[in-house]
Amino acid sequence: MKRFIMSSDMHSFIGRVYGLSIVSLNFDSYDGLAQYPDCKYAIDTNYWLTGLAQRVESLNMVGDMLWLDPVPKNFRDLALTRYQWLTVTTDVFLTRYISVIDCALLLVNEVYRLGLEPKKCTLHNLKKRRLPGAVADHLGLMLDEQEVLRNERNSRIHHGEEREFTDDDQTFKTASLFNDKFHGMKGTDRYGRRINVDRSFKEGLVSIQRDFNRSTRLLKKQLDNLYDLLWEEFEDHFGPLIAAATHGLNAGARRNNTSATRRPAL
């Protein structure tokens, strides 16, 4: 199965905010920078946007775990068995994928200047602060479309439930331990099939790969649409601030539709 690789910072809105963050080089401290509303808004937005982009980028780490290159010929040299590898990879995938929406809510809170404390930044609370309907609806859609994986994350983290990678996970778990750490295990599973740890591992791996590709492709579209919505609000607020600024650091502060999308070297 071909792997989908997430692009974390290719949207032009990200390049726009990253470019503005260079203004921080003109100040020795955040307190000094925060005296200027336009600089503060740009840097605070950059902070939460960078957190979101980094969390999205971390999904590619999960991809590295799912598309092993090369696949170890002998798991005895690793700290984990094949069954444990799948279990840990599932944990990392679910927790990081679900947390992307939490990072997005923090960014929305900043761009729309809603003033919520990070720990209280939920969609419900954002709506109470009069978040525009189009953005609220889009965030609600993102939450709805990740519901199945979010429920699995909650069940794993809070209830101790585990995903089944095969139709006989107990045999896979036990055989994986014996084959990867000891001298092997022979025999049949509960269906009378000859035990084959490699086959079970590939079966579990493919099931997570499918979830990963489907979910990350959807997430990419969702975030691009969210950035389109946030960009307009950002400029509507930032424009008057930069127009009124007296610090003389206005170079490059105007919106440029061809703005680079790479993070500036600071």
Side-chain angles (χ1 to χ4, degrees):
M1 182 183 301
K2 186 177 180 180
R3 170 185 173 183
F4 180 74
I5 298 177
M6 283 292 295
S7 58
S8 61
D9 60 358
M10 293 303 295
H11 194 282
S12 294
F13 172 62
I14 301 176
R16 167 73 165 145
V17 176
Y18 280 175
L20 290 172
S21 71
I22 294 177
V23 73
S24 63
L25 296 175
N26 295 281
F27 300 92
D28 294 327
S29 67
Y30 176 79
D31 289 340
L33 178 149
Q35 296 179 28
Y36 303 97
D38 59 322
C39 297
K40 183 179 186 302
Y41 183 57
I43 293 302
D44 288 349
T45 300
N46 179 72
Y47 177 83
W48 296 112
L49 181 59
T50 299
L52 172 56
Q54 289 176 343
R55 181 46 52 104
V56 171
E57 179 63 33
S58 76
L59 292 174
N60 290 321
M61 173 181 66
V62 179
D64 292 339
M65 298 173 72
L66 289 172
W67 278 266
L68 294 164
D69 186 21
V71 177
K73 294 182 179 180
N74 190 341
F75 269 73
R76 294 177 185 176
D77 297 331
L78 300 180
L80 302 176
T81 69
R82 275 168 279 197
Y83 179 85
Q84 291 168 342
W85 184 274
L86 295 179
T87 300
V88 170
T89 302
T90 301
D91 285 343
V92 176
F93 167 54
L94 290 173
T95 54
R96 290 187 174 269
Y97 176 76
I98 297 304
S99 68
V100 168
I101 186 66
D102 297 322
C103 296
L105 293 172
L106 292 167
L107 174 61
V108 169
N109 180 54
E110 186 60 50
V111 170
Y112 281 89
R113 298 150 289 138
L114 300 179
L116 283 172
E117 297 178 20
K119 64 181 180 181
K120 295 181 179 179
C121 200
T122 65
L123 180 55
H124 176 72
N125 287 337
L126 289 172
K127 287 181 177 180
K128 289 170 64 176
R129 295 290 178 98
R130 297 183 180 179
L131 180 68
V135 182
D137 290 344
H138 184 66
L139 292 170
L141 180 64
M142 291 179 68
L143 287 167
D144 289 343
E145 290 179 330
Q146 66 168 217
E147 182 177 7
V148 172
L149 292 181
R150 185 170 66 250
N151 289 340
E152 182 182 356
R153 190 280 307 265
N154 292 342
S155 295
R156 291 177 72 86
I157 301 301
H158 302 299
H159 306 149
E161 297 181 9
E162 299 285 3
R163 173 184 289 211
E164 292 187 353
F165 303 113
T166 70
D167 57 3
D168 187 359
D169 247 36
Q170 187 56 54
T171 298
F172 173 36
K173 180 178 181 180
T174 303
S176 178
L177 177 62
F178 277 89
N179 280 273
D180 295 337
K181 297 304 175 185
F182 300 107
H183 299 293
M185 176 179 173
K186 298 181 179 180
T188 59
D189 63 13
R190 66 182 181 182
Y191 297 104
R193 299 170 302 194
R194 181 178 296 178
I195 292 174
N196 187 325
V197 177
D198 286 335
R199 180 187 61 205
S200 297
F201 178 65
K202 290 177 182 178
E203 182 180 340
L205 201 61
V206 168
S207 70
I208 311 173
Q209 288 174 341
R210 286 174 177 155
D211 281 349
F212 178 88
N213 274 351
R214 180 174 58 251
S215 301
T216 51
R217 284 193 177 100
L218 177 60
L219 180 62
K220 173 65 168 58
K221 295 178 182 178
Q222 292 171 335
L223 288 176
D224 283 346
N225 291 336
L226 178 63
Y227 291 143
D228 288 340
L229 293 168
L230 295 183
W231 198 351
E232 182 176 356
E233 171 64 21
F234 178 83
E235 298 295 348
D236 285 347
H237 182 60
F238 183 70
L241 292 178
I242 195 66
T246 59
H247 47 59
L249 304 174
N250 298 19
R254 305 298 178 186
R255 176 173 176 174
N256 182 348
N257 289 331
T258 60
S259 176
T261 58
R262 295 180 180 177
R263 185 193 305 268
L266 298 181

